[in-house]
Short mmCIF file of all heavy atoms in Angstrom, two decimals:
data_model
loop_
_atom_site.label_atom_id
_atom_site.label_comp_id
_atom_site.label_asym_id
_atom_site.label_seq_id
_atom_site.Cartn_x
_atom_site.Cartn_y
_atom_site.Cartn_z
N ARG A 53 1.50 19.21 -18.57
CA ARG A 53 2.80 19.89 -18.44
C ARG A 53 2.77 20.94 -17.35
O ARG A 53 3.78 21.17 -16.66
CB ARG A 53 3.18 20.50 -19.79
CG ARG A 53 3.56 19.44 -20.83
CD ARG A 53 3.78 20.03 -22.20
NE ARG A 53 4.22 19.00 -23.15
CZ ARG A 53 4.31 19.17 -24.46
NH1 ARG A 53 3.99 20.35 -25.00
NH2 ARG A 53 4.69 18.17 -25.23
N LEU A 54 1.63 21.58 -17.14
CA LEU A 54 1.50 22.53 -16.03
C LEU A 54 1.55 21.80 -14.69
O LEU A 54 2.21 22.26 -13.74
CB LEU A 54 0.20 23.31 -16.15
CG LEU A 54 0.12 24.34 -17.28
CD1 LEU A 54 -1.32 24.78 -17.50
CD2 LEU A 54 1.01 25.55 -16.97
N LEU A 55 0.88 20.66 -14.61
CA LEU A 55 0.85 19.90 -13.36
C LEU A 55 2.22 19.35 -12.99
O LEU A 55 2.51 19.14 -11.81
CB LEU A 55 -0.16 18.76 -13.46
CG LEU A 55 -1.63 19.16 -13.60
CD1 LEU A 55 -2.50 17.93 -13.81
CD2 LEU A 55 -2.10 19.94 -12.38
N LEU A 56 3.06 19.11 -13.99
CA LEU A 56 4.39 18.56 -13.74
C LEU A 56 5.46 19.64 -13.63
O LEU A 56 6.64 19.33 -13.46
CB LEU A 56 4.76 17.57 -14.84
CG LEU A 56 3.91 16.30 -14.91
CD1 LEU A 56 4.31 15.44 -16.09
CD2 LEU A 56 4.02 15.49 -13.62
N GLY A 57 5.07 20.89 -13.77
CA GLY A 57 6.05 21.97 -13.68
C GLY A 57 6.91 22.11 -14.92
O GLY A 57 7.97 22.74 -14.88
N LEU A 58 6.48 21.54 -16.03
CA LEU A 58 7.21 21.66 -17.29
C LEU A 58 6.85 22.96 -18.02
O LEU A 58 7.57 23.38 -18.92
CB LEU A 58 6.94 20.46 -18.19
CG LEU A 58 7.23 19.09 -17.56
CD1 LEU A 58 6.85 17.97 -18.51
CD2 LEU A 58 8.70 18.99 -17.16
N LEU A 59 5.73 23.55 -17.63
CA LEU A 59 5.32 24.86 -18.11
C LEU A 59 4.96 25.72 -16.91
O LEU A 59 4.50 25.21 -15.88
CB LEU A 59 4.09 24.76 -19.02
CG LEU A 59 4.24 24.11 -20.41
CD1 LEU A 59 2.88 23.99 -21.06
CD2 LEU A 59 5.20 24.92 -21.28
N ARG A 60 5.15 27.00 -17.07
CA ARG A 60 4.75 27.93 -16.02
C ARG A 60 3.40 28.54 -16.38
O ARG A 60 3.21 29.00 -17.51
CB ARG A 60 5.79 29.05 -15.86
CG ARG A 60 5.54 29.95 -14.65
CD ARG A 60 6.72 30.85 -14.39
NE ARG A 60 6.64 31.50 -13.11
CZ ARG A 60 7.63 32.18 -12.55
NH1 ARG A 60 8.79 32.30 -13.20
NH2 ARG A 60 7.48 32.75 -11.37
N PRO A 61 2.44 28.55 -15.47
CA PRO A 61 1.12 29.07 -15.82
C PRO A 61 1.15 30.58 -16.06
O PRO A 61 1.96 31.31 -15.46
CB PRO A 61 0.27 28.73 -14.59
CG PRO A 61 1.24 28.55 -13.47
CD PRO A 61 2.50 28.03 -14.08
N THR A 62 0.28 31.03 -16.92
CA THR A 62 0.09 32.46 -17.13
C THR A 62 -0.56 33.08 -15.90
O THR A 62 -0.20 34.18 -15.48
CB THR A 62 -0.79 32.70 -18.38
OG1 THR A 62 -0.17 32.06 -19.50
CG2 THR A 62 -0.96 34.18 -18.65
N ARG A 63 -1.52 32.37 -15.35
CA ARG A 63 -2.14 32.76 -14.07
C ARG A 63 -2.78 31.51 -13.47
O ARG A 63 -2.86 30.47 -14.09
CB ARG A 63 -3.18 33.86 -14.26
CG ARG A 63 -4.38 33.49 -15.11
CD ARG A 63 -5.40 34.61 -15.16
NE ARG A 63 -6.58 34.22 -15.92
CZ ARG A 63 -6.73 34.40 -17.22
NH1 ARG A 63 -5.75 34.98 -17.92
NH2 ARG A 63 -7.83 34.02 -17.84
N GLY A 64 -3.23 31.66 -12.25
CA GLY A 64 -3.84 30.54 -11.56
C GLY A 64 -2.81 29.71 -10.81
O GLY A 64 -1.63 30.09 -10.70
N ASP A 65 -3.27 28.59 -10.28
CA ASP A 65 -2.44 27.83 -9.35
C ASP A 65 -2.65 26.34 -9.55
O ASP A 65 -3.75 25.89 -9.83
CB ASP A 65 -2.83 28.22 -7.91
CG ASP A 65 -1.90 27.61 -6.88
OD1 ASP A 65 -0.69 27.83 -6.97
OD2 ASP A 65 -2.40 26.90 -5.99
N ALA A 66 -1.57 25.58 -9.40
CA ALA A 66 -1.64 24.12 -9.45
C ALA A 66 -0.86 23.56 -8.26
O ALA A 66 0.17 24.10 -7.86
CB ALA A 66 -1.06 23.59 -10.75
N ARG A 67 -1.36 22.47 -7.72
CA ARG A 67 -0.69 21.76 -6.63
C ARG A 67 -0.76 20.26 -6.88
O ARG A 67 -1.80 19.74 -7.27
CB ARG A 67 -1.35 22.07 -5.28
CG ARG A 67 -1.14 23.51 -4.79
CD ARG A 67 0.30 23.73 -4.35
NE ARG A 67 0.52 25.05 -3.76
CZ ARG A 67 0.84 26.12 -4.44
NH1 ARG A 67 0.95 26.03 -5.77
NH2 ARG A 67 1.03 27.29 -3.85
N VAL A 68 0.35 19.59 -6.65
CA VAL A 68 0.41 18.13 -6.68
C VAL A 68 0.89 17.69 -5.30
O VAL A 68 2.00 18.02 -4.89
CB VAL A 68 1.37 17.63 -7.78
CG1 VAL A 68 1.48 16.11 -7.74
CG2 VAL A 68 0.88 18.08 -9.16
N PHE A 69 0.03 16.99 -4.56
CA PHE A 69 0.31 16.65 -3.16
C PHE A 69 0.67 17.91 -2.37
O PHE A 69 1.60 17.92 -1.57
CB PHE A 69 1.42 15.61 -3.06
CG PHE A 69 1.12 14.34 -3.80
CD1 PHE A 69 1.99 13.86 -4.76
CD2 PHE A 69 -0.05 13.63 -3.56
CE1 PHE A 69 1.71 12.69 -5.46
CE2 PHE A 69 -0.33 12.46 -4.26
CZ PHE A 69 0.55 11.99 -5.21
N ASP A 70 -0.08 18.99 -2.65
CA ASP A 70 0.08 20.28 -1.98
C ASP A 70 1.44 20.92 -2.24
O ASP A 70 1.88 21.81 -1.51
CB ASP A 70 -0.14 20.14 -0.46
CG ASP A 70 -0.55 21.47 0.17
OD1 ASP A 70 -1.20 22.28 -0.52
OD2 ASP A 70 -0.20 21.69 1.34
N LEU A 71 2.11 20.49 -3.31
CA LEU A 71 3.39 21.07 -3.70
C LEU A 71 3.21 21.85 -5.00
O LEU A 71 2.53 21.39 -5.92
CB LEU A 71 4.44 19.98 -3.91
CG LEU A 71 4.79 19.10 -2.71
CD1 LEU A 71 5.67 17.93 -3.14
CD2 LEU A 71 5.48 19.92 -1.62
N ASP A 72 3.83 23.00 -5.08
CA ASP A 72 3.83 23.80 -6.31
C ASP A 72 4.79 23.14 -7.30
O ASP A 72 6.00 23.09 -7.06
CB ASP A 72 4.29 25.22 -6.01
CG ASP A 72 4.25 26.13 -7.24
OD1 ASP A 72 4.29 25.63 -8.37
OD2 ASP A 72 4.19 27.36 -7.06
N PRO A 73 4.30 22.61 -8.42
CA PRO A 73 5.19 21.88 -9.33
C PRO A 73 6.22 22.77 -10.02
O PRO A 73 7.23 22.26 -10.52
CB PRO A 73 4.22 21.26 -10.35
CG PRO A 73 3.00 22.09 -10.27
CD PRO A 73 2.90 22.58 -8.87
N TRP A 74 5.98 24.08 -10.07
CA TRP A 74 6.95 24.97 -10.71
C TRP A 74 8.13 25.24 -9.79
O TRP A 74 9.28 25.24 -10.23
CB TRP A 74 6.28 26.27 -11.14
CG TRP A 74 7.22 27.20 -11.84
CD1 TRP A 74 7.80 28.33 -11.33
CD2 TRP A 74 7.72 27.08 -13.18
NE1 TRP A 74 8.63 28.91 -12.26
CE2 TRP A 74 8.59 28.16 -13.41
CE3 TRP A 74 7.52 26.15 -14.20
CZ2 TRP A 74 9.26 28.34 -14.61
CZ3 TRP A 74 8.17 26.33 -15.41
CH2 TRP A 74 9.03 27.41 -15.60
N THR A 75 7.87 25.46 -8.49
CA THR A 75 8.95 25.82 -7.56
C THR A 75 9.52 24.61 -6.83
O THR A 75 10.62 24.68 -6.29
CB THR A 75 8.45 26.85 -6.52
OG1 THR A 75 7.37 26.27 -5.78
CG2 THR A 75 7.99 28.11 -7.22
N ARG A 76 8.75 23.50 -6.80
CA ARG A 76 9.21 22.32 -6.06
C ARG A 76 9.12 21.08 -6.96
O ARG A 76 8.68 20.01 -6.55
CB ARG A 76 8.39 22.15 -4.79
CG ARG A 76 8.49 23.37 -3.87
CD ARG A 76 7.65 23.26 -2.63
NE ARG A 76 8.13 22.24 -1.72
CZ ARG A 76 7.56 21.98 -0.54
NH1 ARG A 76 6.51 22.67 -0.15
NH2 ARG A 76 8.05 21.03 0.24
N GLY A 77 9.58 21.26 -8.18
CA GLY A 77 9.46 20.22 -9.19
C GLY A 77 10.18 18.93 -8.83
O GLY A 77 9.68 17.83 -9.13
N VAL A 78 11.37 19.02 -8.22
CA VAL A 78 12.12 17.81 -7.88
C VAL A 78 11.33 16.94 -6.91
O VAL A 78 11.23 15.71 -7.08
CB VAL A 78 13.49 18.18 -7.28
CG1 VAL A 78 14.20 16.94 -6.76
CG2 VAL A 78 14.36 18.87 -8.33
N GLU A 79 10.72 17.56 -5.91
CA GLU A 79 9.91 16.80 -4.94
C GLU A 79 8.69 16.17 -5.61
O GLU A 79 8.32 15.03 -5.33
CB GLU A 79 9.48 17.72 -3.81
CG GLU A 79 10.61 18.25 -2.96
CD GLU A 79 10.15 19.35 -2.03
OE1 GLU A 79 9.51 19.02 -1.01
OE2 GLU A 79 10.41 20.54 -2.33
N VAL A 80 8.07 16.93 -6.50
CA VAL A 80 6.90 16.42 -7.22
C VAL A 80 7.29 15.23 -8.07
O VAL A 80 6.63 14.17 -8.06
CB VAL A 80 6.25 17.53 -8.08
CG1 VAL A 80 5.22 16.92 -9.04
CG2 VAL A 80 5.61 18.58 -7.20
N HIS A 81 8.38 15.35 -8.82
CA HIS A 81 8.78 14.29 -9.76
C HIS A 81 9.17 13.00 -9.06
O HIS A 81 9.04 11.92 -9.63
CB HIS A 81 9.92 14.78 -10.65
CG HIS A 81 9.51 15.91 -11.54
ND1 HIS A 81 10.42 16.70 -12.20
CD2 HIS A 81 8.29 16.39 -11.88
CE1 HIS A 81 9.78 17.62 -12.90
NE2 HIS A 81 8.48 17.45 -12.72
N ARG A 82 9.64 13.09 -7.83
CA ARG A 82 9.97 11.87 -7.08
C ARG A 82 8.72 11.08 -6.71
O ARG A 82 8.79 9.89 -6.44
CB ARG A 82 10.76 12.22 -5.82
CG ARG A 82 12.20 12.65 -6.10
CD ARG A 82 12.99 12.83 -4.82
NE ARG A 82 14.34 13.34 -5.09
CZ ARG A 82 15.37 12.58 -5.42
NH1 ARG A 82 15.20 11.28 -5.53
NH2 ARG A 82 16.55 13.12 -5.64
N ARG A 83 7.58 11.75 -6.71
CA ARG A 83 6.33 11.08 -6.31
C ARG A 83 5.42 10.79 -7.50
O ARG A 83 4.32 10.27 -7.32
CB ARG A 83 5.59 11.95 -5.28
CG ARG A 83 6.40 12.19 -4.01
CD ARG A 83 5.61 12.95 -2.98
NE ARG A 83 4.46 12.18 -2.50
CZ ARG A 83 3.62 12.63 -1.57
NH1 ARG A 83 3.79 13.84 -1.05
NH2 ARG A 83 2.60 11.89 -1.19
N VAL A 84 5.88 11.15 -8.69
CA VAL A 84 5.06 11.01 -9.89
C VAL A 84 5.77 10.12 -10.91
O VAL A 84 6.97 10.24 -11.12
CB VAL A 84 4.77 12.39 -10.52
CG1 VAL A 84 4.01 12.24 -11.84
CG2 VAL A 84 3.96 13.26 -9.55
N GLY A 85 5.01 9.23 -11.54
CA GLY A 85 5.48 8.50 -12.70
C GLY A 85 4.80 9.06 -13.93
O GLY A 85 3.57 9.15 -13.96
N TYR A 86 5.57 9.45 -14.94
CA TYR A 86 5.01 10.16 -16.09
C TYR A 86 5.34 9.43 -17.38
O TYR A 86 6.50 9.10 -17.66
CB TYR A 86 5.60 11.58 -16.13
CG TYR A 86 5.24 12.39 -17.35
CD1 TYR A 86 3.94 12.41 -17.87
CD2 TYR A 86 6.21 13.17 -17.99
CE1 TYR A 86 3.63 13.17 -18.98
CE2 TYR A 86 5.89 13.94 -19.11
CZ TYR A 86 4.60 13.93 -19.59
OH TYR A 86 4.29 14.68 -20.70
N LEU A 87 4.31 9.17 -18.16
CA LEU A 87 4.47 8.65 -19.51
C LEU A 87 3.95 9.71 -20.48
O LEU A 87 2.75 9.95 -20.54
CB LEU A 87 3.69 7.35 -19.69
CG LEU A 87 3.65 6.79 -21.12
CD1 LEU A 87 5.06 6.44 -21.59
CD2 LEU A 87 2.73 5.59 -21.22
N PRO A 88 4.85 10.38 -21.23
CA PRO A 88 4.40 11.43 -22.15
C PRO A 88 3.73 10.84 -23.38
O PRO A 88 3.98 9.70 -23.78
CB PRO A 88 5.70 12.15 -22.51
CG PRO A 88 6.77 11.13 -22.33
CD PRO A 88 6.31 10.25 -21.21
N GLY A 89 2.87 11.64 -24.01
CA GLY A 89 2.22 11.22 -25.23
C GLY A 89 3.19 11.08 -26.39
O GLY A 89 3.02 10.23 -27.26
N GLU A 90 4.21 11.93 -26.40
CA GLU A 90 5.26 11.86 -27.42
C GLU A 90 6.52 11.35 -26.75
O GLU A 90 7.27 12.10 -26.15
CB GLU A 90 5.47 13.22 -28.07
CG GLU A 90 4.23 13.74 -28.81
CD GLU A 90 4.45 15.11 -29.44
OE1 GLU A 90 5.58 15.64 -29.33
OE2 GLU A 90 3.49 15.64 -30.02
N LEU A 91 6.72 10.05 -26.84
CA LEU A 91 7.77 9.38 -26.08
C LEU A 91 9.12 9.50 -26.78
O LEU A 91 9.25 9.18 -27.96
CB LEU A 91 7.40 7.90 -25.90
CG LEU A 91 8.32 7.04 -25.05
CD1 LEU A 91 8.35 7.55 -23.61
CD2 LEU A 91 7.84 5.59 -25.08
N ALA A 92 10.13 9.96 -26.06
CA ALA A 92 11.50 10.01 -26.57
C ALA A 92 12.41 9.29 -25.57
O ALA A 92 12.38 9.58 -24.37
CB ALA A 92 11.96 11.46 -26.74
N LEU A 93 13.19 8.33 -26.05
CA LEU A 93 14.03 7.50 -25.19
C LEU A 93 15.48 7.57 -25.64
O LEU A 93 15.77 7.95 -26.78
CB LEU A 93 13.54 6.04 -25.25
CG LEU A 93 12.10 5.79 -24.82
CD1 LEU A 93 11.68 4.38 -25.17
CD2 LEU A 93 11.93 6.04 -23.32
N TYR A 94 16.39 7.19 -24.75
CA TYR A 94 17.81 7.12 -25.08
C TYR A 94 18.06 5.84 -25.87
O TYR A 94 18.20 4.75 -25.30
CB TYR A 94 18.66 7.16 -23.81
CG TYR A 94 18.51 8.42 -23.00
CD1 TYR A 94 17.97 8.39 -21.72
CD2 TYR A 94 18.89 9.66 -23.53
CE1 TYR A 94 17.82 9.55 -20.97
CE2 TYR A 94 18.75 10.83 -22.79
CZ TYR A 94 18.21 10.76 -21.51
OH TYR A 94 18.05 11.92 -20.79
N GLU A 95 18.11 5.96 -27.17
CA GLU A 95 18.12 4.80 -28.05
C GLU A 95 19.38 3.94 -27.90
O GLU A 95 19.37 2.75 -28.22
CB GLU A 95 18.01 5.26 -29.51
CG GLU A 95 16.74 6.05 -29.82
CD GLU A 95 15.63 5.18 -30.37
OE1 GLU A 95 15.94 4.20 -31.07
OE2 GLU A 95 14.46 5.48 -30.09
N GLN A 96 20.49 4.53 -27.41
CA GLN A 96 21.73 3.77 -27.32
C GLN A 96 21.77 2.85 -26.10
O GLN A 96 22.65 1.99 -25.98
CB GLN A 96 22.94 4.72 -27.28
CG GLN A 96 23.13 5.48 -25.97
CD GLN A 96 22.28 6.74 -25.87
OE1 GLN A 96 21.33 6.93 -26.65
NE2 GLN A 96 22.62 7.62 -24.94
N LEU A 97 20.82 3.01 -25.17
CA LEU A 97 20.78 2.20 -23.96
C LEU A 97 19.89 0.98 -24.15
O LEU A 97 19.02 0.96 -25.01
CB LEU A 97 20.24 3.03 -22.79
CG LEU A 97 21.01 4.29 -22.39
CD1 LEU A 97 20.30 4.97 -21.22
CD2 LEU A 97 22.45 3.97 -22.04
N THR A 98 20.14 -0.03 -23.32
CA THR A 98 19.15 -1.09 -23.23
C THR A 98 18.01 -0.59 -22.34
O THR A 98 18.16 0.39 -21.60
CB THR A 98 19.75 -2.36 -22.60
OG1 THR A 98 20.11 -2.08 -21.22
CG2 THR A 98 20.97 -2.84 -23.36
N ALA A 99 16.88 -1.29 -22.39
CA ALA A 99 15.76 -0.90 -21.54
C ALA A 99 16.16 -0.96 -20.07
O ALA A 99 15.83 -0.06 -19.28
CB ALA A 99 14.57 -1.81 -21.81
N GLU A 100 16.91 -1.99 -19.69
CA GLU A 100 17.33 -2.13 -18.29
C GLU A 100 18.25 -0.99 -17.87
O GLU A 100 18.13 -0.47 -16.75
CB GLU A 100 18.02 -3.48 -18.09
CG GLU A 100 18.25 -3.82 -16.63
CD GLU A 100 18.65 -5.27 -16.47
OE1 GLU A 100 19.41 -5.78 -17.32
OE2 GLU A 100 18.20 -5.89 -15.49
N GLU A 101 19.15 -0.57 -18.74
CA GLU A 101 20.04 0.56 -18.43
C GLU A 101 19.23 1.84 -18.29
O GLU A 101 19.52 2.69 -17.43
CB GLU A 101 21.09 0.71 -19.53
CG GLU A 101 22.15 -0.40 -19.52
CD GLU A 101 23.02 -0.38 -20.76
OE1 GLU A 101 22.64 0.25 -21.78
OE2 GLU A 101 24.10 -1.01 -20.74
N LEU A 102 18.21 1.99 -19.13
CA LEU A 102 17.35 3.17 -19.02
C LEU A 102 16.61 3.18 -17.69
O LEU A 102 16.52 4.23 -17.03
CB LEU A 102 16.35 3.18 -20.17
CG LEU A 102 15.43 4.41 -20.22
CD1 LEU A 102 16.17 5.59 -20.85
CD2 LEU A 102 14.16 4.12 -21.01
N PHE A 103 16.10 2.02 -17.28
CA PHE A 103 15.40 1.95 -16.00
C PHE A 103 16.33 2.32 -14.84
O PHE A 103 15.95 3.04 -13.92
CB PHE A 103 14.83 0.54 -15.78
CG PHE A 103 13.84 0.10 -16.83
CD1 PHE A 103 13.69 -1.25 -17.13
CD2 PHE A 103 13.06 1.03 -17.52
CE1 PHE A 103 12.78 -1.66 -18.08
CE2 PHE A 103 12.16 0.62 -18.49
CZ PHE A 103 12.02 -0.73 -18.77
N ALA A 104 17.56 1.82 -14.89
CA ALA A 104 18.52 2.12 -13.83
C ALA A 104 18.81 3.62 -13.79
O ALA A 104 18.92 4.22 -12.70
CB ALA A 104 19.81 1.33 -14.05
N HIS A 105 18.94 4.24 -14.96
CA HIS A 105 19.21 5.68 -15.04
C HIS A 105 18.06 6.47 -14.43
O HIS A 105 18.28 7.36 -13.58
CB HIS A 105 19.42 6.07 -16.50
CG HIS A 105 19.54 7.55 -16.73
ND1 HIS A 105 20.60 8.29 -16.24
CD2 HIS A 105 18.73 8.43 -17.40
CE1 HIS A 105 20.45 9.56 -16.59
NE2 HIS A 105 19.32 9.66 -17.30
N PHE A 106 16.83 6.15 -14.83
CA PHE A 106 15.68 6.87 -14.30
C PHE A 106 15.49 6.59 -12.81
O PHE A 106 15.08 7.47 -12.05
CB PHE A 106 14.41 6.50 -15.07
CG PHE A 106 14.31 7.17 -16.42
CD1 PHE A 106 13.47 6.66 -17.39
CD2 PHE A 106 15.05 8.29 -16.72
CE1 PHE A 106 13.36 7.26 -18.64
CE2 PHE A 106 14.96 8.91 -17.96
CZ PHE A 106 14.12 8.40 -18.92
#
Side-chain angles (χ1 to χ4, degrees):
R53 289 173 177 170
L54 288 166
L55 294 175
L56 294 176
L58 305 177
L59 291 174
R60 189 169 192 170
T62 303
R63 64 176 183 271
D65 187 56
R67 291 288 185 272
V68 177
F69 302 124
D70 203 31
L71 299 171
D72 182 338
W74 182 256
T75 60
R76 301 178 68 178
V78 173
E79 295 169 76
V80 168
H81 295 165
R82 287 186 184 276
R83 299 184 65 179
V84 175
Y86 173 43
L87 173 63
E90 297 179 2
L91 184 62
L93 301 169
Y94 298 116
E95 300 265 327
Q96 73 276 15
L97 300 180
T98 65
E100 191 167 39
E101 288 169 343
L102 183 80
F103 300 152
H105 173 66
F106 283 160

